[in-house]
Amino acid sequence: MIEIKNTSKTYGTGENATAALKDVSLTVSDGVFIVLLGASGSGKSTLLHIASGLERPDSGSVNVDGTDIAALPDKELTAFRKEKVGFIFQQYFLLPNLNVDKNVKMGADLAGNGGYREIIEAVGLGDKLHKFPSQLSGGEQQRVSIARALAKNPKVLFLDEPTGALDEETGRQVLDYIGNLQKARGFSMVMVTHNANIAEIADTVVKMNSGKIVEMAGNEQRKTAYEIGW
Amino acid sequence: MIIRPKDAAKLFGISIMCFCAVLISTMFLNSNIDMARIKDQITDPDALLLHDMVVSSGKMTSAVTGGALALTTVVILLFYVKHYIDTHKSELGILKALGYSNWKIARSFWVFGLSVFTGAALGFGGAFALMPAFYRQMRSDELLPDTPLRFNPILVMYLVVLPALAFSALAVLYSHRKLKRPALELIRGTSNVRVKKAKLNGKQKPDAPFLRELKQSTVRSRFSLVFFIWFASFCYAASVVMSFSMPEVSSDMMAVLMAGIGIVLAVTTLFIAVTTVIKGNAKTIAMLRVFGYSDRECARAILSGYRPITYVGFALGSIYQHGLMLMALSMFIGNDALELPDYSFHWQACIISFISFVVMYEIFMRVYAAKIKRIPLKEVMMEE
């Protein structure tokens, strides 16, 4: 479980200071799927980065299974990410000089996951093991980044606009695939998006505006991307 | 203007190279021109012999130093242009997409020549500050008549103006060549990775750990970085070993001057190369750290692959400087029918240089890697 308590974050100083997060608190229970929804500049990505240990808050705490990761030294924070966290980014961030197999292996080796090729098969890239990122479409690259994140068996998966760079159909496939996997494997998932239409695929929707949580609502029944007509 | 003078300011390494090259070349060429004016006044055969020897030595030093440094500067300049285009490809791609022609963009690269001009002008000025002492040292055995120090404007043209123009033109032409890629390719940044042909026949190597594969792949796929770090090690060995070998063939003052310049050049080149290698791999290191690889694992996988290449560069640089010295001695001094100075490979200098190289390389790597580590992960990953 992740408990974010009274976290604030400001970028810049003096006249250029911008408050990205203002005293935000949020709990991510085990096995839930939370969507952080908001316009650009609402603070959702900052909250995701702080919850995942990519950034430190200026104040407040981020407790993960009883440990305040905001207070951990770099070395232990790295170990935390290694053991517990998976990331999927809008820009994929695949290593361009490694093929699909090796990019996924990057995540798998951290968890000692020798069976990572099953995940590559599952994301539909079994026949593209030896292709390099530059030889893949955007949707395929995103699926590689999904496989890479899942191959390290994360306890929490953080997704930053995972469908932002994809076309509608591919985005729908990717969302449904991740949603199904999350249900099957039971890890927690926090996804940032500005697309209000996809909120219904999550257990909880957190709406943000100007660095604050303005609304939080649960969905009784999660829907697929196809069901919500996205 | 697309490239700003601020970007050219980053080329301080080139300025230092040019400063050293022009400083040495100006001192010797100016003294050679001045000495040519007094040759008619020399009647004593011993003095004439000494005059010819000093002139030959000047020709050799200018040719070796100027030539080697000019070549080094060309390589570094081309590398910088390529590196600039690689790191700013999306902006350049957008400009192309907006309708800027390759020539229009490439023309902005002329400012890279400013670094050459700055270094050369300072080197020229510095030479005139040192020349009174240099002229006095030449006359120390009182065999040669008094040689008045004169300002020879032709040298400004050959050593400052023309190199600056030539390097500006080179930067423009090379950038134009590198910009000949579709705008979209530049924006997406999809073309700078060498892709290994996929193995489809099932004859794959047994699975190696990811970090080992990454190490091999990093070195194989970044040819320009590999070449640059190799070249820097090569230059380091050539400059430092040659500097320490100079006392055997030149005066004490020149040996000290050459050693100082050699060390400055060697350290500068190595520093530029190491920082470029780390910057060039910063994103990969950041990605590995995001996923939870430790700093030690990142260094082992990404940076240690370059180490053997530097050793090879150092060995070849040492051999090269020895060959160059032998060739230069026989070409310039030998032609004047003067006895060749006693010169042999300086093992001691080579070993000391190697130890200093290893220490310097490791210090630069560690200090700069620590500096990169202090930059927030988000910042490294988001910078495009």
Side-chain angles (χ1 to χ4, degrees):
Chain A
M1 180 158 58
I2 304 177
E3 283 180 287
I4 301 159
K5 283 185 191 164
N6 309 110
T7 52
S8 297
K9 180 80 183 174
T10 301
Y11 295 110
T13 51
E15 285 179 12
N16 298 323
T18 310
L21 277 189
K22 299 170 189 166
D23 199 29
V24 169
S25 297
L26 177 71
T27 300
V28 182
S29 304
D30 290 340
V32 299
F33 178 9
I34 292 181
V35 162
L36 300 178
L37 196 63
S40 180
S42 60
K44 55 192 190 305
S45 287
T46 304
L47 182 58
L48 184 99
H49 293 148
I50 284 175
S52 60
L54 268 187
E55 269 192 287
R56 293 175 197 278
D58 296 334
S59 61
S61 62
V62 182
N63 283 294
V64 181
D65 299 335
T67 306
D68 182 7
I69 62 162
L72 287 178
D74 262 356
K75 205 172 170 182
E76 287 174 42
L77 199 57
T78 305
F80 158 76
R81 288 197 299 266
K82 177 179 176 176
E83 285 162 22
K84 307 213 166 169
V85 172
F87 291 98
I88 296 171
F89 299 98
Q90 181 179 354
Q91 302 94 327
Y92 327 129
F93 291 128
L94 301 178
L95 301 185
N97 52 320
L98 295 181
N99 62 23
V100 170
D101 185 60
K102 308 302 175 219
N103 261 292
V104 179
K105 200 176 180 188
M106 172 185 169
D109 264 19
L110 282 169
N113 180 0
Y116 68 93
R117 287 202 178 111
E118 285 172 22
I119 300 172
I120 302 178
E121 291 283 345
V123 296
L125 293 172
D127 57 338
K128 295 192 170 163
L129 275 183
H130 303 291
K131 296 277 183 192
F132 288 81
S134 60
Q135 297 169 319
L136 301 174
S137 69
E140 287 169 333
Q141 289 188 58
Q142 191 57 295
R143 279 188 276 159
V144 177
S145 90
I146 291 168
R148 180 180 61 181
L150 296 175
K152 73 192 285 269
N153 296 327
K155 305 276 182 295
V156 192
L157 184 61
F158 292 95
L159 306 95
D160 194 353
E161 300 271 11
T163 57
L166 304 178
D167 63 87
E168 198 175 308
E169 176 58 25
T170 314
R172 198 180 290 148
Q173 284 171 6
V174 163
L175 281 180
D176 275 342
Y177 179 73
I178 300 171
N180 290 336
L181 264 174
Q182 188 266 335
K183 266 194 260 181
R185 295 186 173 209
F187 53 82
S188 311
M189 198 153 84
V190 182
M191 181 168 85
V192 157
T193 182
H194 64 268
N195 187 344
N197 294 335
I198 59 177
E200 285 180 82
I201 66 169
D203 296 309
T204 307
V205 182
V206 176
K207 287 186 184 167
M208 295 192 68
N209 190 21
S210 303
K212 287 182 175 175
I213 292 177
V214 290
E215 192 183 327
M216 198 177 328
N219 290 321
E220 278 183 22
Q221 183 71 43
R222 270 165 61 169
K223 292 181 180 168
T224 65
Y226 287 94
E227 283 170 334
I228 61 173
W230 187 72
Chain B
M1 182 180 281
I2 296 156
I3 321 287
R4 297 150 301 170
K6 199 179 93 180
D7 294 312
K10 288 178 186 165
L11 304 168
F12 74 98
I14 289 182
S15 297
I16 293 175
M17 300 264 170
C18 295
F19 172 84
C20 296
V22 173
L23 180 91
I24 293 289
S25 302
T26 305
M27 281 171 70
F28 282 102
L29 295 178
N30 204 74
S31 86
N32 277 8
I33 294 172
D34 288 347
M35 284 183 78
R37 292 194 182 109
I38 59 155
K39 192 173 182 181
D40 296 343
Q41 301 167 25
I42 303 172
T43 49
D44 179 6
D46 285 346
L48 202 58
L49 193 67
L50 180 65
H51 173 276
D52 289 346
M53 202 168 77
V54 170
V55 169
S56 297
S57 158
K59 276 195 280 183
M60 183 195 88
T61 314
S62 305
V64 169
T65 316
L69 293 182
L71 182 69
T72 310
T73 309
V74 168
V75 171
I76 294 184
L77 183 81
L78 296 184
F79 182 83
Y80 264 123
V81 171
K82 181 185 178 305
H83 190 66
Y84 184 91
I85 291 174
D86 283 347
T87 50
H88 293 78
K89 51 185 176 289
S90 43
E91 293 99 308
L92 296 170
I94 289 165
L95 288 175
K96 281 185 72 166
L98 287 173
Y100 281 78
S101 69
N102 286 346
W103 272 118
K104 179 129 181 148
I105 300 171
R107 277 208 303 265
S108 308
F109 280 79
W110 75 267
V111 295
F112 280 50
L114 283 181
S115 57
V116 174
F117 179 78
T118 310
L122 289 174
F124 196 82
F128 271 87
L130 289 174
M131 266 193 284
F134 180 61
Y135 275 46
R136 270 199 303 279
Q137 197 263 335
M138 278 195 305
R139 295 195 310 269
S140 56
D141 41 17
E142 294 178 354
L143 266 175
L144 293 174
D146 194 17
T147 315
L149 171 60
R150 289 191 192 174
F151 174 74
N152 296 294
I154 190 78
L155 289 180
V156 180
M157 183 57 76
Y158 283 126
L159 296 176
V160 181
V161 178
L162 286 181
L165 291 176
F167 276 93
S168 288
L170 184 67
V172 170
L173 291 172
Y174 185 65
S175 59
H176 180 261
R177 186 170 168 268
K178 299 299 289 179
L179 286 166
K180 280 183 182 169
R181 284 146 72 179
L184 261 183
E185 201 178 85
L186 283 167
I187 292 169
R188 289 179 182 154
T190 51
S191 65
N192 65 338
V193 175
R194 290 182 150 212
V195 174
K196 213 174 56 172
K197 215 171 182 182
K199 291 178 182 172
L200 300 169
N201 55 5
K203 287 181 191 169
Q204 292 161 28
K205 275 186 274 180
D207 273 0
F210 166 73
L211 290 176
R212 193 189 305 162
E213 288 182 0
L214 178 63
K215 182 174 168 178
Q216 290 163 358
S217 157
T218 301
V219 172
R220 278 201 305 256
S221 64
R222 296 281 181 89
F223 177 76
S224 60
L225 286 183
V226 168
F227 174 74
F228 196 42
I229 196 89
W230 175 87
F231 188 71
S233 320
F234 181 92
C235 291
Y236 188 100
S239 319
V240 179
V241 179
M242 190 184 288
S243 307
F244 284 118
S245 306
M246 286 308 261
E248 294 176 9
V249 293
S250 66
S251 67
D252 287 349
M253 182 196 168
M254 276 321 296
V256 170
L257 192 64
M258 293 296 284
I261 287 175
I263 290 166
V264 168
L265 281 177
V267 173
T268 308
T269 321
L270 189 65
F271 176 76
I272 295 170
V274 169
T275 51
T276 309
V277 159
I278 295 179
K279 271 187 199 165
N281 287 293
K283 218 159 199 172
T284 306
I285 294 172
M287 198 60 222
L288 290 175
R289 284 173 62 209
V290 164
F291 268 69
Y293 284 94
S294 68
D295 294 332
R296 204 171 167 188
E297 287 170 321
C298 293
R300 217 169 45 214
I302 306 290
L303 304 179
S304 68
Y306 294 96
R307 200 172 280 121
I309 294 157
T310 63
Y311 296 159
V312 171
F314 188 94
L316 291 176
S318 304
I319 296 167
Y320 163 82
Q321 73 80 29
H322 180 60
L324 192 68
M325 287 295 281
L326 287 178
M327 194 181 77
L329 283 170
S330 60
M331 268 176 69
F332 293 101
I333 298 179
N335 281 354
D336 287 352
L338 292 166
E339 198 181 331
L340 280 173
D342 188 19
Y343 171 77
S344 58
F345 189 75
H346 204 312
W347 280 105
Q348 206 182 350
C350 185
I351 292 165
I352 294 170
S353 307
F354 183 68
I355 294 168
S356 69
F357 170 77
V358 172
V359 170
M360 209 81 80
Y361 179 81
E362 297 301 331
I363 288 175
F364 285 157
M365 273 283 181
R366 274 168 179 68
V367 169
Y368 211 75
K371 197 177 156 195
I372 290 272
K373 212 176 94 180
R374 284 198 294 273
I375 302 171
L377 285 177
K378 191 180 158 189
E379 204 174 296
V380 182
M381 296 189 60
M382 298 303 153
E383 95 186 0
E384 274 296 331

